Amino acid sequence: MDEKIKPLLANYLIAIGDDELILGHRDSEWCGHAPILEEDIAFANISLDEIGHARLWFELAASLLGEDPKTFPDQLAFYRDWDKFRSIQMAALPKGDWAFTMLRQFFFDSFENLRLEGLAESAYPPIAQAAAKIRNEEVYHLRHTAAWVPRLGLGTQESGRRMQTALEALWPFALQLGVPLAGESELAAQGLVPAADALRHKWLEIMGNAMQEAGLAIPEIGVPAVVDRSVQSEDLRQLLLEMQEVPRQHPREVRW
Amino acid sequence: MGAPGLRGLCQTPGSPGGIAVNMSDTQWPRFMVFQQMEAGQAFVHQGTVHAPDIELALLNGRDVFVRRPNANAMFVVPADLILSKTEEEIKSGWEPGNPETGGEAQAYLVFGKLNHAMQSEQLGDVQAVSPQDAMKKALQKFTDRVVHMWWVFPAGAVLASGDKDLDSMFKPVLEHGFKNQANYPVITMMRQIKSKGKLED
């Protein structure tokens, strides 16, 4: 691979890994607090899966950057300042109610499944292999959230109202999923990652149908609330203060 | 994406013999979860989940019971559709009341608890016109082992995972490195930190 491409690809992987890590952390906040025991366990599973995916992408980024894949993921997760994260702002939004959490997860899982389909065809074999592995779990996440969204949307008046409220709050942030990542067109031209435009169009079409089936109306907003992934939110800063607190207080002292 | 059926939270599951849900009860109905560890092995009862309908019961069953150990297949059935008889009930002269009344003959799955320390496992199936009839036929058919508790329920009321679900429902767990709690001697570690101010290498 061209030496100039390596850092671009590594940054792409770190960005999608950041999405997984931050969303996984938010999902973990439901542990012990979900509305029913079975869903509590299901979301703890999803949370662990997402954080595991982040680690896989960070390990691949490490090998591209000549870093140690054993230590680099922890470096990125626990010793990186909040303004260096490249996650979408939707991932860091406070967990809200169950409708909000379920819909956010559904938006993310649907987009991620499309991206993983593309990454499974990557010209860089380690990415194709990781994508195939991650996809098995994401297919299941999507089945879970795709089952819940229409049930909540059409369930009771209250569940439908909460879902519509969540949709209106989330939609402008969800649109950031479709914004091309830095260097994405160059990486796509080399067959390393899927083209952002095609992903976005397909995702919007699927979301349109899914929201209609769930009795929900997508707000007429076409512009993402935020475009640039280097612009991070106070929500992320607060999340990292908590997530990074223990490792930063005891660097290298605690074995996990 | 598999389009989910657009069922409300409290509607009757669409499977044959689906149960009606009591709308005034805030607890979801119960489903029994059965798991097959390896291809070819008998299905074994794993436990119970609550779910608003049978599709989510299957997903909940996977999430609650498959994280470990491994599984090859799983099915769920509404708990209310299981006819259950203990060894004592059978010995004290249980007789099926009007077992022949019912609809067309259909397949019933037969599960038996063979050991007090073990979960019920599948013994086989029978063709019967009613749960009572199925129990009677099961007692006549499976006579070679001591069964402490019998369960029969219609095969048509079951929702099972399919071959296409293997990769997404059951395989990922095999690649997860689960942390063994024995590797985390927390009490020893805390003693070291308290006495020496840090962990020994």
Side-chain angles (χ1 to χ4, degrees):
Chain A
M1 191 188 305
D2 186 340
E3 287 302 316
K4 280 183 217 150
I5 285 289
K6 281 186 180 177
L8 275 186
L9 188 55
N11 285 339
Y12 177 99
L13 297 176
I14 290 170
I16 64 172
D18 282 349
D19 286 348
E20 306 255 25
L21 176 66
I22 301 305
L23 188 62
H25 186 82
R26 277 293 186 225
D27 288 341
S28 78
E29 293 173 351
W30 281 105
C31 194
H33 302 277
I36 189 161
L37 179 63
E38 286 82 349
E39 278 298 313
D40 200 295
I41 294 169
F43 248 72
N45 280 344
I46 288 175
S47 165
L48 286 170
D49 286 347
E50 302 294 22
I51 294 167
H53 301 166
R55 186 171 62 188
L56 276 177
W57 294 133
F58 291 167
E59 284 168 355
L60 284 186
S63 60
L64 287 164
L65 296 173
E67 300 279 350
D68 180 358
K70 283 203 182 89
T71 56
F72 196 55
D74 276 0
Q75 280 294 328
L76 290 177
F78 296 121
Y79 300 99
R80 191 168 33 141
D81 289 337
W82 71 286
D83 57 345
K84 299 292 189 297
F85 276 73
R86 293 294 175 262
S87 44
I88 54 168
Q89 286 199 11
M90 180 176 81
L93 292 172
K95 73 182 193 300
D97 63 8
W98 192 243
F100 185 92
T101 283
M102 195 58 79
L103 195 58
R104 165 167 60 183
Q105 193 66 35
F106 177 63
F107 288 153
F108 183 78
D109 290 342
S110 347
F111 196 92
E112 200 191 355
N113 263 278
L114 295 175
R115 194 201 298 281
L116 287 167
E117 270 177 37
L119 289 175
E121 310 278 309
S122 172
Y124 183 55
I127 288 185
Q129 283 158 16
K133 189 174 167 184
I134 292 173
R135 201 159 163 247
N136 279 339
E137 292 181 342
E138 284 302 331
V139 164
Y140 186 76
H141 294 181
L142 185 57
R143 184 171 174 188
H144 184 105
T145 49
W148 267 111
V149 164
R151 282 166 174 80
L152 290 172
L154 303 172
T156 64
Q157 212 174 1
E158 175 64 4
S159 71
R161 184 191 67 74
R162 284 179 181 237
M163 286 296 276
Q164 185 61 40
T165 304
L167 174 55
E168 283 162 24
L170 278 166
W171 190 248
F173 291 96
L175 290 174
Q176 196 186 5
L177 280 164
V179 177
L181 286 141
E184 191 158 342
S185 56
E186 209 173 335
L187 295 169
Q190 301 210 13
L192 295 165
V193 307
D197 283 350
L199 288 185
R200 183 173 65 248
H201 287 135
K202 206 166 169 187
W203 181 75
L204 285 171
E205 188 190 330
I206 294 171
M207 289 307 96
N209 292 335
M211 292 303 104
Q212 197 176 9
E213 275 186 49
L216 302 169
I218 295 179
E220 296 198 5
I221 301 166
V223 190
V226 55
V227 173
D228 189 345
R229 280 178 180 248
S230 67
V231 177
Q232 288 298 352
S233 65
E234 179 62 17
D235 291 329
L236 179 75
R237 199 178 71 85
Q238 293 294 333
L239 180 151
L240 291 178
L241 273 179
E242 185 180 312
M243 193 182 92
Q244 298 181 334
E245 183 183 3
V246 173
R248 284 194 182 221
Q249 279 182 13
H250 307 280
R252 317 282 176 273
E253 282 293 338
V254 178
R255 286 174 291 184
W256 300 99
Chain B
M1 289 194 300
L6 298 184
R7 289 171 294 200
L9 276 174
C10 296
Q11 286 180 10
T12 307
S15 58
I19 48 166
V21 175
N22 178 0
M23 294 284 286
S24 65
D25 187 353
T26 57
Q27 184 66 279
W28 287 336
R30 283 192 317 130
F31 294 82
M32 290 297 192
V33 182
F34 299 87
Q35 190 170 321
Q36 183 189 46
M37 301 299 180
E38 306 278 348
Q41 287 185 354
F43 277 83
V44 175
H45 177 228
Q46 277 296 318
T48 309
V49 291
H50 291 91
D53 54 57
I54 199 163
E55 162 72 11
L56 282 169
L58 184 63
L59 300 188
N60 287 349
R62 182 269 190 189
D63 288 324
V64 172
F65 295 112
V66 180
R67 194 86 187 163
R68 62 189 106 159
N70 56 317
N72 178 65
M74 175 173 268
F75 72 78
V76 287
V77 70
D80 290 2
L81 293 186
I82 298 177
L83 176 64
S84 169
K85 290 292 162 206
T86 62
E87 190 180 9
E88 289 75 20
E89 285 174 301
I90 306 281
K91 276 187 183 156
S92 62
W94 174 80
E95 284 292 331
N98 298 322
E100 265 72 44
T101 56
E104 299 261 309
Q106 58 172 315
Y108 280 76
L109 302 184
V110 180
F111 276 72
K113 200 170 169 69
L114 302 175
N115 180 316
H116 287 296
M118 282 158 60
Q119 298 274 44
S120 296
E121 65 179 76
Q122 188 172 0
L123 304 178
D125 54 71
V126 292
Q127 290 286 325
V129 296
S130 68
Q132 304 263 321
D133 186 30
M135 185 65 77
K136 183 178 137 194
K137 289 185 169 146
L139 294 172
Q140 289 162 354
K141 184 171 176 181
F142 303 101
T143 52
D144 55 333
R145 283 177 283 184
V146 177
V147 177
H148 301 300
M149 190 172 65
W150 296 84
W151 280 354
V152 295
F153 49 89
V158 156
L159 179 67
S161 62
D163 290 344
K164 67 179 171 47
D165 297 323
L166 196 61
D167 283 346
S168 66
M169 286 181 79
F170 307 129
K171 274 197 179 156
V173 75
L174 300 176
E175 294 180 357
H176 288 180
F178 287 109
K179 308 274 185 179
N180 185 342
Q181 65 178 24
N183 295 339
Y184 293 82
V186 177
I187 294 173
T188 311
M189 289 163 79
M190 290 309 292
R191 276 197 194 119
Q192 282 179 14
I193 290 171
K194 277 181 184 164
S195 64
K196 297 182 181 149
K198 62 173 201 142
L199 279 175
E200 289 172 355
D201 286 331

